[in-house]
Amino acid sequence: MLFKQQALLRQKLFVLGSLAIGSLLYLVARVGSLDRLQPICPIESRLGPPHLPEQIPLRTLQYKRGLLHELRKGNATKEQIRLHNLVQQLPRAIIIGVRKGGTRALLEMLNLHPAVVKASQEIHFFDNDQNYARGIDWYREKMPFSFPHQITIEKSPAYFITEEVPERIFKMNSSIKLLIIVREPTTRAVSDYTQVLEGKERKNKTYHKFEKLAIDGNTCEVNTKYKAVRTSIYTKHLERWLKYFPVEQFHIVDGDRLITDPLPELQLVERFLNLPSRISHYNLYFNATRGFYCLRFNIVFNKCLAGSKGRIHPEVDPSVVAKLRKFFHPFNQKFYQITGRTFNWP
């Protein structure tokens, strides 16, 4: 009887020992395989773009645009906000300028991307002392609701030329991405003048001709005190921004090309923002009546920019145009050198 019990005990110990050794060998092999795999495929490389994790696929974000639209109209309930984990985020990218360079068109086109949410209005937080004094929470509350891993973008073109703005944005986020859209400087200045002229005419007010504003009557030289001219000296403003941000945090968009062939420019911005390429030819179609591209979000929803876009410019004395282009030329060359992007400006 005792012999049988001892034999049974030895048998149980053998089975348990075999299981323990097998488990130990499995763990050793598993750890070894993980060690071998880690340098080949680090976890960071499997995560994809930083703002678009697996749990919120881009297709899902596209389907939920309707909810965000309701939020913008103020129709969504607090329960919907809580249920969908929606938040108001500070922008991770800002279109800082340039006025009449195409900032509205750029913002609307980027909003085609399912991972981008735009602030519909110009907030003027950093360039307006009264707004800035209200604090960062006030600024955040002006942002649209979004899913946590979407990118919020706002645009206020006055930021580019306002002295206090670079430091203020730096204090909010020193690693923010900054977009600057530019056009040929003389064309941009005339466009700037045209917008102001239209506003004066609506109020039945008179306004000087462009030539009289752009050229100093006493010296016959370019009038750098005229704001439309001063804004087009891009390099002067950019140098102030570079005191706070490295050039790698800026992306320069060709505003002239955005009008005639927008997709390549938008794809460059997608890359700069570390977004997967999602905007395609399907999303952009040329409207011959308006003379520029309109946006197609899906089969149902299309959108064209406001009729005020693409105003007809007044005719400007060719000698004044030539004088302005000659004046801007050295500043343009320096702008190309700093940004690493060259334009075919005369």
mmCIF file of all heavy atoms in Angstrom, residues 126-173:
data_model
loop_
_atom_site.group_PDB
_atom_site.id
_atom_site.type_symbol
_atom_site.label_atom_id
_atom_site.label_comp_id
_atom_site.label_asym_id
_atom_site.label_seq_id
_atom_site.Cartn_x
_atom_site.Cartn_y
_atom_site.Cartn_z
ATOM 1 N N PHE A 126 -4.839 86.515 -30.481
ATOM 2 C CA PHE A 126 -3.461 86.915 -30.202
ATOM 3 C C PHE A 126 -3.138 88.334 -30.669
ATOM 4 O O PHE A 126 -2.168 88.926 -30.198
ATOM 5 C CB PHE A 126 -2.490 85.918 -30.853
ATOM 6 C CG PHE A 126 -2.591 84.532 -30.300
ATOM 7 C CD1 PHE A 126 -3.258 83.538 -30.995
ATOM 8 C CD2 PHE A 126 -2.045 84.214 -29.066
ATOM 9 C CE1 PHE A 126 -3.367 82.254 -30.489
ATOM 10 C CE2 PHE A 126 -2.149 82.944 -28.537
ATOM 11 C CZ PHE A 126 -2.811 81.953 -29.249
ATOM 12 N N ASP A 127 -3.924 88.878 -31.600
ATOM 13 C CA ASP A 127 -3.626 90.219 -32.112
ATOM 14 C C ASP A 127 -4.517 91.294 -31.507
ATOM 15 O O ASP A 127 -4.350 92.479 -31.787
ATOM 16 C CB ASP A 127 -3.758 90.251 -33.637
ATOM 17 C CG ASP A 127 -5.193 90.002 -34.092
ATOM 18 O OD1 ASP A 127 -5.803 89.028 -33.609
ATOM 19 O OD2 ASP A 127 -5.710 90.770 -34.929
ATOM 20 N N ASN A 128 -5.478 90.884 -30.651
ATOM 21 C CA ASN A 128 -6.394 91.828 -30.038
ATOM 22 C C ASN A 128 -6.155 91.832 -28.523
ATOM 23 O O ASN A 128 -6.396 90.827 -27.851
ATOM 24 C CB ASN A 128 -7.835 91.426 -30.367
ATOM 25 C CG ASN A 128 -8.871 92.388 -29.824
ATOM 26 O OD1 ASN A 128 -8.973 92.585 -28.612
ATOM 27 N ND2 ASN A 128 -9.644 92.986 -30.710
ATOM 28 N N ASP A 129 -5.683 92.937 -27.995
ATOM 29 C CA ASP A 129 -5.324 92.999 -26.572
ATOM 30 C C ASP A 129 -6.508 92.682 -25.662
ATOM 31 O O ASP A 129 -6.351 92.006 -24.642
ATOM 32 C CB ASP A 129 -4.770 94.384 -26.221
ATOM 33 C CG ASP A 129 -3.415 94.646 -26.856
ATOM 34 O OD1 ASP A 129 -2.752 93.663 -27.244
ATOM 35 O OD2 ASP A 129 -3.022 95.824 -26.961
ATOM 36 N N GLN A 130 -7.686 93.158 -26.027
ATOM 37 C CA GLN A 130 -8.865 92.910 -25.203
ATOM 38 C C GLN A 130 -9.214 91.422 -25.172
ATOM 39 O O GLN A 130 -9.501 90.855 -24.115
ATOM 40 C CB GLN A 130 -10.051 93.713 -25.743
ATOM 41 C CG GLN A 130 -11.305 93.611 -24.875
ATOM 42 C CD GLN A 130 -12.442 94.478 -25.394
ATOM 43 O OE1 GLN A 130 -12.271 95.232 -26.350
ATOM 44 N NE2 GLN A 130 -13.598 94.368 -24.768
ATOM 45 N N ASN A 131 -9.160 90.773 -26.330
ATOM 46 C CA ASN A 131 -9.428 89.332 -26.383
ATOM 47 C C ASN A 131 -8.348 88.545 -25.647
ATOM 48 O O ASN A 131 -8.639 87.595 -24.912
ATOM 49 C CB ASN A 131 -9.515 88.854 -27.834
ATOM 50 C CG ASN A 131 -10.781 89.312 -28.521
ATOM 51 O OD1 ASN A 131 -11.748 89.705 -27.866
ATOM 52 N ND2 ASN A 131 -10.788 89.281 -29.847
ATOM 53 N N TYR A 132 -7.095 88.944 -25.836
ATOM 54 C CA TYR A 132 -5.985 88.218 -25.211
ATOM 55 C C TYR A 132 -6.068 88.293 -23.685
ATOM 56 O O TYR A 132 -5.732 87.334 -22.983
ATOM 57 C CB TYR A 132 -4.658 88.782 -25.705
ATOM 58 C CG TYR A 132 -3.462 87.958 -25.287
ATOM 59 C CD1 TYR A 132 -3.250 86.681 -25.808
ATOM 60 C CD2 TYR A 132 -2.531 88.453 -24.369
ATOM 61 C CE1 TYR A 132 -2.157 85.922 -25.434
ATOM 62 C CE2 TYR A 132 -1.438 87.699 -23.984
ATOM 63 C CZ TYR A 132 -1.257 86.442 -24.524
ATOM 64 O OH TYR A 132 -0.182 85.684 -24.144
ATOM 65 N N ALA A 133 -6.552 89.421 -23.175
ATOM 66 C CA ALA A 133 -6.682 89.597 -21.726
ATOM 67 C C ALA A 133 -7.743 88.670 -21.130
ATOM 68 O O ALA A 133 -7.741 88.410 -19.920
ATOM 69 C CB ALA A 133 -7.030 91.049 -21.404
ATOM 70 N N ARG A 134 -8.625 88.138 -21.974
ATOM 71 C CA ARG A 134 -9.670 87.229 -21.496
ATOM 72 C C ARG A 134 -9.124 85.841 -21.162
ATOM 73 O O ARG A 134 -9.794 85.047 -20.515
ATOM 74 C CB ARG A 134 -10.780 87.116 -22.545
ATOM 75 C CG ARG A 134 -11.596 88.398 -22.656
ATOM 76 C CD ARG A 134 -12.510 88.360 -23.857
ATOM 77 N NE ARG A 134 -13.445 89.496 -23.839
ATOM 78 C CZ ARG A 134 -14.121 89.927 -24.899
ATOM 79 N NH1 ARG A 134 -13.962 89.322 -26.067
ATOM 80 N NH2 ARG A 134 -14.949 90.949 -24.790
ATOM 81 N N GLY A 135 -7.932 85.541 -21.625
ATOM 82 C CA GLY A 135 -7.268 84.310 -21.223
ATOM 83 C C GLY A 135 -7.458 83.130 -22.166
ATOM 84 O O GLY A 135 -8.319 83.140 -23.044
ATOM 85 N N ILE A 136 -6.637 82.121 -21.942
ATOM 86 C CA ILE A 136 -6.585 80.970 -22.841
ATOM 87 C C ILE A 136 -7.858 80.130 -22.799
ATOM 88 O O ILE A 136 -8.235 79.499 -23.794
ATOM 89 C CB ILE A 136 -5.341 80.095 -22.517
ATOM 90 C CG1 ILE A 136 -4.944 79.233 -23.725
ATOM 91 C CG2 ILE A 136 -5.562 79.249 -21.266
ATOM 92 C CD1 ILE A 136 -4.338 80.018 -24.845
ATOM 93 N N ASP A 137 -8.551 80.117 -21.656
ATOM 94 C CA ASP A 137 -9.805 79.358 -21.579
ATOM 95 C C ASP A 137 -10.872 79.985 -22.466
ATOM 96 O O ASP A 137 -11.677 79.270 -23.089
ATOM 97 C CB ASP A 137 -10.300 79.276 -20.128
ATOM 98 C CG ASP A 137 -9.421 78.369 -19.275
ATOM 99 O OD1 ASP A 137 -8.776 77.477 -19.851
ATOM 100 O OD2 ASP A 137 -9.369 78.575 -18.042
ATOM 101 N N TRP A 138 -10.892 81.309 -22.552
ATOM 102 C CA TRP A 138 -11.818 81.998 -23.457
ATOM 103 C C TRP A 138 -11.523 81.592 -24.900
ATOM 104 O O TRP A 138 -12.445 81.329 -25.685
ATOM 105 C CB TRP A 138 -11.679 83.505 -23.287
ATOM 106 C CG TRP A 138 -12.566 84.322 -24.185
ATOM 107 C CD1 TRP A 138 -13.836 84.733 -23.932
ATOM 108 C CD2 TRP A 138 -12.228 84.828 -25.492
ATOM 109 N NE1 TRP A 138 -14.324 85.463 -24.997
ATOM 110 C CE2 TRP A 138 -13.359 85.537 -25.971
ATOM 111 C CE3 TRP A 138 -11.092 84.747 -26.300
ATOM 112 C CZ2 TRP A 138 -13.382 86.163 -27.224
ATOM 113 C CZ3 TRP A 138 -11.117 85.366 -27.550
ATOM 114 C CH2 TRP A 138 -12.242 86.061 -28.000
ATOM 115 N N TYR A 139 -10.240 81.530 -25.226
ATOM 116 C CA TYR A 139 -9.812 81.143 -26.578
ATOM 117 C C TYR A 139 -10.259 79.716 -26.885
ATOM 118 O O TYR A 139 -10.807 79.441 -27.967
ATOM 119 C CB TYR A 139 -8.296 81.275 -26.659
ATOM 120 C CG TYR A 139 -7.672 80.953 -27.993
ATOM 121 C CD1 TYR A 139 -8.134 81.531 -29.173
ATOM 122 C CD2 TYR A 139 -6.578 80.083 -28.072
ATOM 123 C CE1 TYR A 139 -7.525 81.257 -30.388
ATOM 124 C CE2 TYR A 139 -5.969 79.807 -29.279
ATOM 125 C CZ TYR A 139 -6.448 80.395 -30.437
ATOM 126 O OH TYR A 139 -5.850 80.116 -31.633
ATOM 127 N N ARG A 140 -10.059 78.811 -25.949
ATOM 128 C CA ARG A 140 -10.446 77.413 -26.147
ATOM 129 C C ARG A 140 -11.961 77.290 -26.393
ATOM 130 O O ARG A 140 -12.406 76.501 -27.226
ATOM 131 C CB ARG A 140 -10.048 76.572 -24.931
ATOM 132 C CG ARG A 140 -10.181 75.069 -25.145
ATOM 133 C CD ARG A 140 -10.135 74.342 -23.810
ATOM 134 N NE ARG A 140 -8.915 74.638 -23.069
ATOM 135 C CZ ARG A 140 -7.778 73.978 -23.204
ATOM 136 N NH1 ARG A 140 -7.702 72.975 -24.053
ATOM 137 N NH2 ARG A 140 -6.729 74.312 -22.470
ATOM 138 N N GLU A 141 -12.727 78.075 -25.662
ATOM 139 C CA GLU A 141 -14.187 78.013 -25.802
ATOM 140 C C GLU A 141 -14.664 78.518 -27.165
ATOM 141 O O GLU A 141 -15.803 78.250 -27.559
ATOM 142 C CB GLU A 141 -14.857 78.817 -24.686
ATOM 143 C CG GLU A 141 -14.755 78.138 -23.317
ATOM 144 C CD GLU A 141 -15.203 79.049 -22.183
ATOM 145 O OE1 GLU A 141 -15.669 80.180 -22.484
ATOM 146 O OE2 GLU A 141 -15.095 78.631 -21.016
ATOM 147 N N LYS A 142 -13.799 79.240 -27.864
ATOM 148 C CA LYS A 142 -14.136 79.690 -29.215
ATOM 149 C C LYS A 142 -13.861 78.622 -30.267
ATOM 150 O O LYS A 142 -14.225 78.786 -31.438
ATOM 151 C CB LYS A 142 -13.334 80.957 -29.566
ATOM 152 C CG LYS A 142 -13.690 82.175 -28.717
ATOM 153 C CD LYS A 142 -15.114 82.615 -28.961
ATOM 154 C CE LYS A 142 -15.488 83.819 -28.118
ATOM 155 N NZ LYS A 142 -16.898 84.221 -28.308
ATOM 156 N N MET A 143 -13.222 77.529 -29.863
ATOM 157 C CA MET A 143 -12.882 76.465 -30.796
ATOM 158 C C MET A 143 -14.072 75.516 -30.995
ATOM 159 O O MET A 143 -14.900 75.351 -30.104
ATOM 160 C CB MET A 143 -11.675 75.671 -30.281
ATOM 161 C CG MET A 143 -10.386 76.472 -30.220
ATOM 162 S SD MET A 143 -9.893 77.078 -31.848
ATOM 163 C CE MET A 143 -9.483 78.782 -31.445
ATOM 164 N N PRO A 144 -14.144 74.874 -32.158
ATOM 165 C CA PRO A 144 -15.238 73.935 -32.420
ATOM 166 C C PRO A 144 -15.061 72.649 -31.615
ATOM 167 O O PRO A 144 -13.949 72.334 -31.177
ATOM 168 C CB PRO A 144 -15.094 73.650 -33.919
ATOM 169 C CG PRO A 144 -13.631 73.830 -34.176
ATOM 170 C CD PRO A 144 -13.197 74.957 -33.285
ATOM 171 N N PHE A 145 -16.147 71.927 -31.413
ATOM 172 C CA PHE A 145 -16.036 70.600 -30.813
ATOM 173 C C PHE A 145 -15.397 69.657 -31.820
ATOM 174 O O PHE A 145 -15.576 69.789 -33.038
ATOM 175 C CB PHE A 145 -17.415 70.074 -30.411
ATOM 176 C CG PHE A 145 -17.924 70.658 -29.122
ATOM 177 C CD1 PHE A 145 -18.730 71.788 -29.124
ATOM 178 C CD2 PHE A 145 -17.585 70.083 -27.905
ATOM 179 C CE1 PHE A 145 -19.190 72.342 -27.938
ATOM 180 C CE2 PHE A 145 -18.041 70.629 -26.713
ATOM 181 C CZ PHE A 145 -18.848 71.757 -26.723
ATOM 182 N N SER A 146 -14.633 68.711 -31.299
ATOM 183 C CA SER A 146 -13.947 67.751 -32.165
ATOM 184 C C SER A 146 -13.718 66.466 -31.391
ATOM 185 O O SER A 146 -13.875 66.415 -30.172
ATOM 186 C CB SER A 146 -12.608 68.328 -32.642
ATOM 187 O OG SER A 146 -11.753 68.578 -31.530
ATOM 188 N N PHE A 147 -13.351 65.428 -32.117
ATOM 189 C CA PHE A 147 -12.922 64.199 -31.468
ATOM 190 C C PHE A 147 -11.484 64.400 -30.988
ATOM 191 O O PHE A 147 -10.723 65.167 -31.596
ATOM 192 C CB PHE A 147 -13.025 63.020 -32.432
ATOM 193 C CG PHE A 147 -14.435 62.774 -32.900
ATOM 194 C CD1 PHE A 147 -14.860 63.200 -34.147
ATOM 195 C CD2 PHE A 147 -15.350 62.153 -32.066
ATOM 196 C CE1 PHE A 147 -16.163 63.006 -34.570
ATOM 197 C CE2 PHE A 147 -16.661 61.947 -32.478
ATOM 198 C CZ PHE A 147 -17.066 62.378 -33.729
ATOM 199 N N PRO A 148 -11.098 63.731 -29.909
ATOM 200 C CA PRO A 148 -9.791 64.019 -29.292
ATOM 201 C C PRO A 148 -8.607 63.930 -30.239
ATOM 202 O O PRO A 148 -7.619 64.639 -30.045
ATOM 203 C CB PRO A 148 -9.695 62.962 -28.186
ATOM 204 C CG PRO A 148 -11.115 62.656 -27.835
ATOM 205 C CD PRO A 148 -11.879 62.753 -29.123
ATOM 206 N N HIS A 149 -8.690 63.101 -31.254
ATOM 207 C CA HIS A 149 -7.516 62.904 -32.105
ATOM 208 C C HIS A 149 -7.639 63.617 -33.452
ATOM 209 O O HIS A 149 -6.882 63.328 -34.371
ATOM 210 C CB HIS A 149 -7.261 61.415 -32.287
ATOM 211 C CG HIS A 149 -7.030 60.704 -30.991
ATOM 212 N ND1 HIS A 149 -5.856 60.817 -30.277
ATOM 213 C CD2 HIS A 149 -7.839 59.928 -30.241
ATOM 214 C CE1 HIS A 149 -5.945 60.112 -29.162
ATOM 215 N NE2 HIS A 149 -7.138 59.568 -29.111
ATOM 216 N N GLN A 150 -8.569 64.550 -33.537
ATOM 217 C CA GLN A 150 -8.608 65.426 -34.696
ATOM 218 C C GLN A 150 -7.745 66.660 -34.432
ATOM 219 O O GLN A 150 -7.408 66.976 -33.290
ATOM 220 C CB GLN A 150 -10.052 65.861 -34.992
ATOM 221 C CG GLN A 150 -10.897 64.751 -35.610
ATOM 222 C CD GLN A 150 -12.305 65.212 -35.905
ATOM 223 O OE1 GLN A 150 -13.014 65.668 -35.009
ATOM 224 N NE2 GLN A 150 -12.738 65.083 -37.143
ATOM 225 N N ILE A 151 -7.382 67.341 -35.504
ATOM 226 C CA ILE A 151 -6.584 68.561 -35.409
ATOM 227 C C ILE A 151 -7.500 69.765 -35.607
ATOM 228 O O ILE A 151 -8.214 69.845 -36.605
ATOM 229 C CB ILE A 151 -5.474 68.576 -36.482
ATOM 230 C CG1 ILE A 151 -4.447 67.488 -36.212
ATOM 231 C CG2 ILE A 151 -4.789 69.939 -36.532
ATOM 232 C CD1 ILE A 151 -3.389 67.409 -37.284
ATOM 233 N N THR A 152 -7.486 70.680 -34.668
ATOM 234 C CA THR A 152 -8.222 71.932 -34.806
ATOM 235 C C THR A 152 -7.303 72.981 -35.438
ATOM 236 O O THR A 152 -6.155 73.121 -35.030
ATOM 237 C CB THR A 152 -8.725 72.431 -33.438
ATOM 238 O OG1 THR A 152 -9.631 71.465 -32.891
ATOM 239 C CG2 THR A 152 -9.437 73.764 -33.574
ATOM 240 N N ILE A 153 -7.834 73.683 -36.450
ATOM 241 C CA ILE A 153 -7.074 74.732 -37.138
ATOM 242 C C ILE A 153 -7.894 76.016 -37.141
ATOM 243 O O ILE A 153 -9.093 75.996 -37.398
ATOM 244 C CB ILE A 153 -6.746 74.329 -38.595
ATOM 245 C CG1 ILE A 153 -5.894 73.054 -38.626
ATOM 246 C CG2 ILE A 153 -6.021 75.461 -39.319
ATOM 247 C CD1 ILE A 153 -5.541 72.585 -40.020
ATOM 248 N N GLU A 154 -7.249 77.119 -36.821
ATOM 249 C CA GLU A 154 -7.903 78.430 -36.951
ATOM 250 C C GLU A 154 -7.063 79.313 -37.861
ATOM 251 O O GLU A 154 -5.886 79.049 -38.105
ATOM 252 C CB GLU A 154 -8.112 79.089 -35.582
ATOM 253 C CG GLU A 154 -6.872 79.739 -34.976
ATOM 254 C CD GLU A 154 -7.050 81.241 -34.680
ATOM 255 O OE1 GLU A 154 -7.690 81.946 -35.486
ATOM 256 O OE2 GLU A 154 -6.505 81.689 -33.656
ATOM 257 N N LYS A 155 -7.701 80.358 -38.383
ATOM 258 C CA LYS A 155 -6.948 81.302 -39.212
ATOM 259 C C LYS A 155 -7.324 82.726 -38.847
ATOM 260 O O LYS A 155 -8.493 83.067 -38.667
ATOM 261 C CB LYS A 155 -7.185 81.021 -40.691
ATOM 262 C CG LYS A 155 -8.547 81.435 -41.244
ATOM 263 C CD LYS A 155 -8.463 82.717 -42.052
ATOM 264 C CE LYS A 155 -9.788 83.108 -42.686
ATOM 265 N NZ LYS A 155 -9.737 84.434 -43.330
ATOM 266 N N SER A 156 -6.308 83.549 -38.677
ATOM 267 C CA SER A 156 -6.479 84.993 -38.467
ATOM 268 C C SER A 156 -5.298 85.664 -39.153
ATOM 269 O O SER A 156 -4.195 85.725 -38.590
ATOM 270 C CB SER A 156 -6.510 85.349 -36.977
ATOM 271 O OG SER A 156 -7.665 84.840 -36.345
ATOM 272 N N PRO A 157 -5.470 86.146 -40.387
ATOM 273 C CA PRO A 157 -4.331 86.663 -41.159
ATOM 274 C C PRO A 157 -3.640 87.876 -40.546
ATOM 275 O O PRO A 157 -2.483 88.156 -40.884
ATOM 276 C CB PRO A 157 -4.943 86.999 -42.525
ATOM 277 C CG PRO A 157 -6.407 86.995 -42.323
ATOM 278 C CD PRO A 157 -6.695 86.100 -41.175
ATOM 279 N N ALA A 158 -4.322 88.567 -39.632
ATOM 280 C CA ALA A 158 -3.668 89.711 -38.978
ATOM 281 C C ALA A 158 -2.526 89.266 -38.075
ATOM 282 O O ALA A 158 -1.650 90.069 -37.727
ATOM 283 C CB ALA A 158 -4.688 90.515 -38.170
ATOM 284 N N TYR A 159 -2.511 87.985 -37.696
ATOM 285 C CA TYR A 159 -1.436 87.484 -36.831
ATOM 286 C C TYR A 159 -0.061 87.722 -37.449
ATOM 287 O O TYR A 159 0.900 88.052 -36.756
ATOM 288 C CB TYR A 159 -1.613 85.982 -36.578
ATOM 289 C CG TYR A 159 -2.766 85.588 -35.680
ATOM 290 C CD1 TYR A 159 -3.163 84.259 -35.572
ATOM 291 C CD2 TYR A 159 -3.474 86.528 -34.938
ATOM 292 C CE1 TYR A 159 -4.211 83.876 -34.750
ATOM 293 C CE2 TYR A 159 -4.521 86.160 -34.113
ATOM 294 C CZ TYR A 159 -4.892 84.826 -34.025
ATOM 295 O OH TYR A 159 -5.931 84.451 -33.213
ATOM 296 N N PHE A 160 0.045 87.523 -38.752
ATOM 297 C CA PHE A 160 1.351 87.555 -39.416
ATOM 298 C C PHE A 160 2.049 88.896 -39.264
ATOM 299 O O PHE A 160 3.272 88.953 -39.110
ATOM 300 C CB PHE A 160 1.168 87.223 -40.907
ATOM 301 C CG PHE A 160 2.460 87.102 -41.675
ATOM 302 C CD1 PHE A 160 3.429 86.179 -41.317
ATOM 303 C CD2 PHE A 160 2.705 87.921 -42.773
ATOM 304 C CE1 PHE A 160 4.617 86.073 -42.031
ATOM 305 C CE2 PHE A 160 3.881 87.818 -43.496
ATOM 306 C CZ PHE A 160 4.844 86.885 -43.120
ATOM 307 N N ILE A 161 1.278 89.985 -39.279
ATOM 308 C CA ILE A 161 1.900 91.317 -39.297
ATOM 309 C C ILE A 161 1.843 92.033 -37.950
ATOM 310 O O ILE A 161 2.310 93.169 -37.835
ATOM 311 C CB ILE A 161 1.234 92.213 -40.369
ATOM 312 C CG1 ILE A 161 -0.254 92.437 -40.049
ATOM 313 C CG2 ILE A 161 1.418 91.632 -41.757
ATOM 314 C CD1 ILE A 161 -0.916 93.491 -40.918
ATOM 315 N N THR A 162 1.276 91.384 -36.925
ATOM 316 C CA THR A 162 1.137 92.032 -35.608
ATOM 317 C C THR A 162 2.315 91.656 -34.712
ATOM 318 O O THR A 162 2.580 90.472 -34.488
ATOM 319 C CB THR A 162 -0.195 91.629 -34.948
ATOM 320 O OG1 THR A 162 -1.275 91.913 -35.848
ATOM 321 C CG2 THR A 162 -0.411 92.395 -33.647
ATOM 322 N N GLU A 163 3.013 92.654 -34.188
ATOM 323 C CA GLU A 163 4.290 92.425 -33.506
ATOM 324 C C GLU A 163 4.189 91.513 -32.290
ATOM 325 O O GLU A 163 5.080 90.709 -32.031
ATOM 326 C CB GLU A 163 4.901 93.777 -33.092
ATOM 327 C CG GLU A 163 5.402 94.605 -34.270
ATOM 328 C CD GLU A 163 6.183 95.826 -33.816
ATOM 329 O OE1 GLU A 163 6.514 95.904 -32.617
ATOM 330 O OE2 GLU A 163 6.472 96.696 -34.665
ATOM 331 N N GLU A 164 3.127 91.631 -31.508
ATOM 332 C CA GLU A 164 3.036 90.882 -30.250
ATOM 333 C C GLU A 164 2.696 89.407 -30.455
ATOM 334 O O GLU A 164 2.874 88.592 -29.553
ATOM 335 C CB GLU A 164 1.957 91.497 -29.342
ATOM 336 C CG GLU A 164 2.215 92.929 -28.920
ATOM 337 C CD GLU A 164 1.777 93.951 -29.951
ATOM 338 O OE1 GLU A 164 1.192 93.540 -30.991
ATOM 339 O OE2 GLU A 164 2.026 95.148 -29.730
ATOM 340 N N VAL A 165 2.194 89.058 -31.614
ATOM 341 C CA VAL A 165 1.608 87.726 -31.801
ATOM 342 C C VAL A 165 2.611 86.572 -31.692
ATOM 343 O O VAL A 165 2.319 85.567 -31.028
ATOM 344 C CB VAL A 165 0.833 87.660 -33.129
ATOM 345 C CG1 VAL A 165 0.401 86.216 -33.438
ATOM 346 C CG2 VAL A 165 -0.397 88.557 -33.055
ATOM 347 N N PRO A 166 3.788 86.627 -32.317
ATOM 348 C CA PRO A 166 4.693 85.475 -32.228
ATOM 349 C C PRO A 166 4.994 85.046 -30.799
ATOM 350 O O PRO A 166 4.937 83.856 -30.468
ATOM 351 C CB PRO A 166 5.958 85.960 -32.952
ATOM 352 C CG PRO A 166 5.476 87.014 -33.887
ATOM 353 C CD PRO A 166 4.346 87.688 -33.181
ATOM 354 N N GLU A 167 5.297 86.000 -29.942
ATOM 355 C CA GLU A 167 5.604 85.667 -28.549
ATOM 356 C C GLU A 167 4.380 85.078 -27.844
ATOM 357 O O GLU A 167 4.497 84.121 -27.075
ATOM 358 C CB GLU A 167 6.089 86.908 -27.802
ATOM 359 C CG GLU A 167 6.471 86.619 -26.346
ATOM 360 C CD GLU A 167 6.976 87.852 -25.610
ATOM 361 O OE1 GLU A 167 6.966 88.952 -26.202
ATOM 362 O OE2 GLU A 167 7.381 87.709 -24.438
ATOM 363 N N ARG A 168 3.207 85.616 -28.117
ATOM 364 C CA ARG A 168 1.995 85.127 -27.462
ATOM 365 C C ARG A 168 1.670 83.691 -27.885
ATOM 366 O O ARG A 168 1.279 82.857 -27.050
ATOM 367 C CB ARG A 168 0.821 86.062 -27.782
ATOM 368 C CG ARG A 168 0.933 87.421 -27.084
ATOM 369 C CD ARG A 168 -0.161 88.388 -27.527
ATOM 370 N NE ARG A 168 -0.112 89.626 -26.751
ATOM 371 C CZ ARG A 168 -0.954 90.641 -26.912
ATOM 372 N NH1 ARG A 168 -1.915 90.583 -27.829
ATOM 373 N NH2 ARG A 168 -0.838 91.730 -26.157
ATOM 374 N N ILE A 169 1.813 83.400 -29.153
ATOM 375 C CA ILE A 169 1.561 82.026 -29.611
ATOM 376 C C ILE A 169 2.613 81.081 -29.053
ATOM 377 O O ILE A 169 2.313 79.955 -28.649
ATOM 378 C CB ILE A 169 1.510 81.962 -31.153
ATOM 379 C CG1 ILE A 169 0.272 82.697 -31.669
ATOM 380 C CG2 ILE A 169 1.503 80.512 -31.642
ATOM 381 C CD1 ILE A 169 0.098 82.674 -33.169
ATOM 382 N N PHE A 170 3.855 81.535 -29.001
ATOM 383 C CA PHE A 170 4.939 80.716 -28.446
ATOM 384 C C PHE A 170 4.644 80.330 -27.001
ATOM 385 O O PHE A 170 4.885 79.196 -26.583
ATOM 386 C CB PHE A 170 6.259 81.477 -28.535
ATOM 387 C CG PHE A 170 7.444 80.725 -27.996
ATOM 388 C CD1 PHE A 170 8.115 79.807 -28.789
ATOM 389 C CD2 PHE A 170 7.881 80.927 -26.690
ATOM 390 C CE1 PHE A 170 9.204 79.111 -28.294
ATOM 391 C CE2 PHE A 170 8.961 80.236 -26.187
ATOM 392 C CZ PHE A 170 9.632 79.313 -26.997
ATOM 393 N N LYS A 171 4.113 81.266 -26.227
ATOM 394 C CA LYS A 171 3.792 80.985 -24.827
ATOM 395 C C LYS A 171 2.676 79.944 -24.706
ATOM 396 O O LYS A 171 2.632 79.184 -23.736
ATOM 397 C CB LYS A 171 3.393 82.277 -24.116
ATOM 398 C CG LYS A 171 4.568 83.208 -23.832
ATOM 399 C CD LYS A 171 4.108 84.489 -23.163
ATOM 400 C CE LYS A 171 5.293 85.394 -22.840
ATOM 401 N NZ LYS A 171 4.867 86.683 -22.226
ATOM 402 N N MET A 172 1.767 79.907 -25.687
ATOM 403 C CA MET A 172 0.701 78.912 -25.661
ATOM 404 C C MET A 172 1.224 77.534 -26.058
ATOM 405 O O MET A 172 0.946 76.530 -25.409
ATOM 406 C CB MET A 172 -0.429 79.311 -26.615
ATOM 407 C CG MET A 172 -1.557 78.274 -26.674
ATOM 408 S SD MET A 172 -2.771 78.573 -27.991
ATOM 409 C CE MET A 172 -1.817 78.088 -29.467
ATOM 410 N N ASN A 173 2.003 77.486 -27.146
ATOM 411 C CA ASN A 173 2.491 76.206 -27.659
ATOM 412 C C ASN A 173 3.721 76.455 -28.517
ATOM 413 O O ASN A 173 3.615 76.909 -29.658
ATOM 414 C CB ASN A 173 1.399 75.507 -28.474
ATOM 415 C CG ASN A 173 1.846 74.152 -29.007
ATOM 416 O OD1 ASN A 173 2.967 73.717 -28.782
ATOM 417 N ND2 ASN A 173 0.970 73.483 -29.720
#
